[in-house]
Amino acid sequence: MLKVEGVAKSYRTGNLFAQKSRHILKDVSFDCRHGECLGIIGESGSGKSTLGRLILGIEKPNRGTIRLDGKDIGDRNSRIGRISAVFQDYRSSLNPFFTVEQAIMEPMKTVNRATRMLQGKVEELLQLVGLNPSYRSRYPHELSGGEAQRVCIARAISTEPPYLLLDEAVSSLDISVQAQVLELLKTLKNRNKMSYIFITHDIQAAAYLCDRIMIFRCGQIEEIVETKRLRDVRSAYARKLLESSICFND
Ligand code: ADP
Ligand code: MG
């Protein structure tokens, strides 16, 4: 289980003589169970990506703890091969000088396996994300947006991590490609029994994929609701978010 307890994060802004602290996250607590898909939705600037970086252990909270199966995420051993991520910007996520095969192999190498075995695994992963195995020798500039994001997903799941954090992972794809990638994520989640932290500003995408949805506002949790009870959200802000989306009017 991923357990976030009393997490706060602030950044210093200003210059040497006039320093200020901006409080981005304020006392955030929630958990994500094994095999669960938890959506985090909120407006741009509400602190979703900051929370994502803390969950990945890229940055440390000022206060509070984040534990993955009881171990602090700040400890490298507790996160390597246990949680990985897919970000919005698939283009800059891929090294332009790496082939698809090299990109997918990279995280597996850190877990240390023989190269020949890894090549077989690359083929398997490409098939899993719906790409022809011949794509292994392509470079990022030879891929469409949707294909590049599939490669990022293959890379993220290559070490079979139980947790995957997706930060606006479908947001910059064309609508039809978005639907395909969401479908792929749903299939993978059921097949590999993975837990997702699905960060998005798109409530429809969250409703499609997630079991529970956390409404996030100004660095705080407004409400956490089961997707099947999404229509019953209480807070005025959550209702406003929902009413502005088609999924509520269907
Ligand atoms: P979201 O992903 O919900 O759009 P972010 O977490 O990216 O929100 O950003 C929340 C706020 O935190 C923004 O106002 C942003 O400018 C600020 N912020 C994020 N990272 C930093 C940083 N490293 N230093 C200073 N401010 C930051
Ligand atoms: Mg963001």
Side-chain angles (χ1 to χ4, degrees):
M1 182 155 88
L2 174 77
K3 203 164 179 59
V4 176
E5 275 183 301
V7 159
K9 179 75 183 173
S10 55
Y11 290 113
R12 289 227 166 88
T13 55
N15 57 36
L16 197 58
F17 305 102
Q19 283 212 345
K20 282 190 221 150
S21 239
R22 274 198 61 203
H23 301 287
I24 308 297
L25 300 175
K26 305 152 198 163
D27 196 23
V28 176
S29 302
F30 64 92
D31 45 45
C32 178
R33 296 181 287 265
H34 271 290
E36 184 183 29
C37 179
L38 176 72
I40 302 181
I41 64 166
E43 287 171 353
S44 166
S46 57
K48 305 181 299 295
S49 295
T50 303
L51 180 59
R53 290 194 300 276
L54 298 182
I55 290 172
L56 292 169
I58 297 171
E59 285 178 48
K60 286 189 171 34
N62 298 104
R63 246 189 309 123
T65 53
I66 301 173
R67 292 200 189 92
L68 196 55
D69 297 329
K71 293 189 193 118
D72 197 292
I73 203 77
D75 171 7
R76 191 173 182 271
N77 290 329
S78 71
R79 60 174 190 262
I80 295 296
R82 309 268 312 134
I83 184 162
S84 63
V86 179
F87 297 101
Q88 171 168 15
D89 192 357
Y90 46 81
R91 291 255 170 248
S92 63
S93 295
L94 293 172
N95 184 330
F97 301 109
F98 275 17
T99 62
V100 164
E101 176 169 276
Q102 287 170 322
I104 296 176
M105 271 191 185
E106 206 191 359
M108 292 196 280
K109 280 183 177 163
T110 63
V111 187
N112 218 348
R113 292 198 197 137
T115 308
R116 181 121 44 87
M117 213 178 100
L118 295 186
Q119 282 169 341
K121 180 86 185 174
V122 169
E123 195 159 324
E124 204 180 286
L125 284 162
L126 284 174
Q127 268 165 3
L128 203 58
V129 298
L131 292 176
N132 190 289
S134 65
Y135 274 66
R136 65 188 331 145
S137 52
R138 291 204 187 189
Y139 285 92
H141 72 269
E142 298 170 307
L143 304 171
S144 71
E147 288 166 349
Q149 196 59 307
R150 283 169 195 268
V151 170
C152 292
I153 293 169
R155 179 178 60 179
I157 62 169
S158 64
T159 56
E160 298 175 20
Y163 285 86
L164 185 62
L165 183 134
L166 299 128
D167 188 353
E168 304 282 6
V170 299
S171 305
S172 50
L173 300 171
D174 293 341
I175 295 290
S176 65
V177 183
Q178 268 189 29
Q180 289 166 13
V181 175
L182 280 174
E183 199 183 307
L184 165 68
L185 288 170
K186 198 165 202 168
T187 311
L188 288 176
K189 167 186 175 259
N190 294 334
R191 181 184 179 275
N192 298 5
K193 299 205 171 31
M194 297 176 77
S195 309
Y196 289 168
I197 313 284
F198 186 73
I199 298 174
T200 181
H201 64 273
D202 178 353
I203 200 159
Q204 288 190 67
Y208 174 77
L209 200 61
C210 300
D211 306 304
R212 281 192 304 157
I213 294 180
M214 179 169 125
I215 318 270
F216 206 66
R217 185 192 191 191
C218 303
Q220 282 174 308
I221 300 173
E222 185 92 357
E223 194 167 349
I224 301 182
V225 63
E226 279 188 41
T227 306
K228 49 179 189 270
R229 298 187 184 279
L230 198 52
R231 286 162 189 270
D232 306 331
V233 282
R234 288 181 305 266
S235 64
Y237 174 71
R239 294 209 72 81
K240 214 176 105 209
L241 262 187
L242 281 171
E243 276 158 15
S244 62
S245 79
I246 305 164
C247 88
F248 197 62
N249 302 327
D250 64 3

